[in-house]
Amino acid sequence: MVAAASVVTVIGAVTGTISALDHGRGSDQARRPEVTGSPTPVPAVPSPPPSPPGTTRTPTAVPRHRLPTAVPTRTAGRKRQRTTVVTPLLYRHPDSQVIDWVRAHPGDPRTALIESRIADRPAAVWFADFSPDTIAARVRTVTAGAAAEGRVPVLVPYVIADRDCGGASQGGAPDLAAYDAWIEAFARGLGSGEVIVILEPDSIAQSDCLSDADRAARFASLARAGRTLKAANPRARVYYDGGHSGWNPAAKQAALLKEAGAASFDGVFSNVSNFRPTAEEIAYDRQVLDALGGPRSLGAVIDTSRNGNGAPPDGQWCDPAGRRIGRAPTLDTGEDRIDAYLWVKLPGESDGCKGAAGTFTPSYAYDLAR
């Protein structure tokens, strides 16, 4: 799957990218999924690797437009009310590869830095295995944990049929009918609280590999998925695949998003697992949103997990040297129409060069965190 990344900070945020899969551990555990050449398993969940920018392949791999809640307060001696903005915090799921590594290596000289700069930050939870019988329970484990803490979880369904067009992160549901049923089960675990859904990274930006008929069928399925998620939990914020600023031109990406019905939901996400600078993504996402049309409330979320130094000049996408984490995850970006900076891809989970794809590699995490 192809993705792009950039990072942000969140006060009180807590930990890394996770996926939920039935890989080796109980089905009630949520973690980053494990996918061939990209995402990782449920229990120890890594995120998918990015695909080379400018190619039709993408790496494996939300906020409410304004999640803050207005709390009226009385001003002494006056009847007039003043509004205090309370920003919900993102959720750090306690089950991830980086947290496991930190706990298992208290004496490693790299541990303190990796813990403070990566493990203690909130990150997305990936669900990349096709497991219709257990998916609702695994999603519910994450959303219930977030609700208990009053935080907002970020979930990544990554099971679309023909995922990654047969590339490193190939896999997913056997067909779109099975995918529709899987999404219905996924939605049953959403609960009733605020939740951000990053719906199928690369499913739209990478759709050029499909025939016209297959692409139309996929986009219809993605539109159904959005409706299913919203029907199950109206407070869910559903974002659609916007690729990234080095991939499709904004007008082309917007046209594809429109075909998938994205204008009827909450907006777009960009830079998943990639390295494009945050400023470039902000400009690009606004262009996409303008071309997409729809209500002014549509916004964008940006993966900032590895874009601190921007994209490598040689176009390298597989664990490129010299990269850094970006801004920490936050729902308060201060930027018009940019709803959040998120860590969708967890820093330190390899694209497949410095370690097995989707697995946590401490040397890589340390380099990104320094």
Side-chain angles (χ1 to χ4, degrees):
M1 129 171 147
V2 181
S6 123
V7 190
V8 223
T9 54
V10 139
I11 299 177
V14 260
T15 240
T17 317
I18 313 165
S19 246
L21 288 167
D22 285 333
H23 236 53
R25 302 198 195 175
S27 61
D28 59 337
Q29 289 180 294
R31 273 203 148 175
R32 256 299 311 258
E34 187 165 54
V35 181
T36 304
S38 188
T40 326
V42 142
V45 174
S47 35
S51 336
T55 68
T56 50
R57 250 200 82 234
T58 74
T60 68
V62 46
R64 314 176 12 111
H65 186 56
R66 268 292 166 260
L67 279 171
T69 304
V71 180
T73 60
R74 302 276 303 190
T75 303
R78 299 190 169 194
K79 293 183 180 178
R80 191 174 58 175
Q81 290 186 323
R82 187 173 56 188
T83 303
T84 300
V85 175
V86 178
T87 303
L89 297 178
L90 290 163
Y91 178 59
R92 184 198 80 162
H93 187 58
D95 185 17
S96 73
Q97 292 186 85
V98 62
I99 294 176
D100 288 349
W101 184 87
V102 165
R103 289 171 179 161
H105 299 83
D108 191 297
R110 300 167 296 184
T111 297
L113 184 65
I114 291 174
E115 181 175 21
S116 64
R117 303 211 66 197
I118 297 177
D120 283 349
R121 304 271 171 90
V125 180
W126 289 70
F127 299 83
D129 64 324
F130 181 69
S131 52
D133 294 338
T134 61
I135 187 62
R138 290 185 290 120
V139 172
R140 191 175 298 114
T141 296
V142 178
T143 57
E149 296 182 11
R151 295 172 185 261
V152 180
V154 179
L155 310 180
V156 185
Y158 187 61
V159 182
I160 194 74
D162 294 323
R163 183 178 65 201
D164 203 30
C165 296
S169 298
Q170 62 184 294
D175 53 48
L176 291 176
Y179 178 72
D180 290 352
W182 185 89
I183 278 288
E184 289 177 4
F186 181 99
R188 290 198 292 273
L190 289 178
S192 59
E194 294 172 346
V195 56
I196 293 167
V197 180
I198 304 298
L199 184 62
E200 298 295 340
D202 298 340
S203 60
I204 295 175
Q206 192 189 20
S207 61
D208 283 352
C209 69
L210 303 173
S211 68
D212 290 347
D214 287 345
R215 183 166 56 249
R218 172 182 284 189
F219 287 176
S221 183
L222 288 171
R224 289 193 296 273
R227 292 193 295 270
T228 297
L229 296 167
K230 286 288 197 178
N233 180 356
R235 299 180 73 192
R237 303 287 297 182
V238 182
Y239 292 83
Y240 279 66
D241 174 31
H244 61 69
S245 58
W247 203 341
N248 293 324
K252 175 181 178 179
Q253 190 63 31
L256 295 172
L257 284 159
K258 191 171 294 186
E259 288 182 47
S264 298
F265 300 96
D266 295 286
V268 304
F269 61 82
S270 72
N271 208 40
V272 170
S273 296
N274 219 286
F275 309 89
R276 312 301 300 188
T278 302
E280 287 185 13
E281 291 304 296
I282 290 173
Y284 171 75
D285 288 345
R286 286 173 176 162
Q287 291 171 4
V288 170
L289 291 170
D290 287 345
L292 177 60
R296 175 70 187 172
S297 60
L298 292 183
V301 299
I302 299 169
D303 184 352
T304 59
S305 59
R306 305 189 299 179
N307 71 345
N309 274 356
D314 59 358
Q316 173 61 256
W317 62 270
C318 186
D319 301 334
R323 301 311 95 198
R324 294 290 181 271
I325 57 174
R327 305 186 196 178
T330 183
L331 297 172
D332 186 9
T333 69
E335 293 283 350
D336 182 47
R337 305 201 81 181
I338 306 301
D339 294 347
Y341 300 131
L342 303 174
W343 281 11
V344 182
K345 167 82 173 182
L346 181 62
E349 289 180 0
S350 177
D351 298 323
C353 292
K354 295 191 175 181
T359 61
F360 180 73
T361 307
S363 59
Y364 183 33
Y366 185 72
D367 287 344
L368 288 168
R370 285 191 297 176

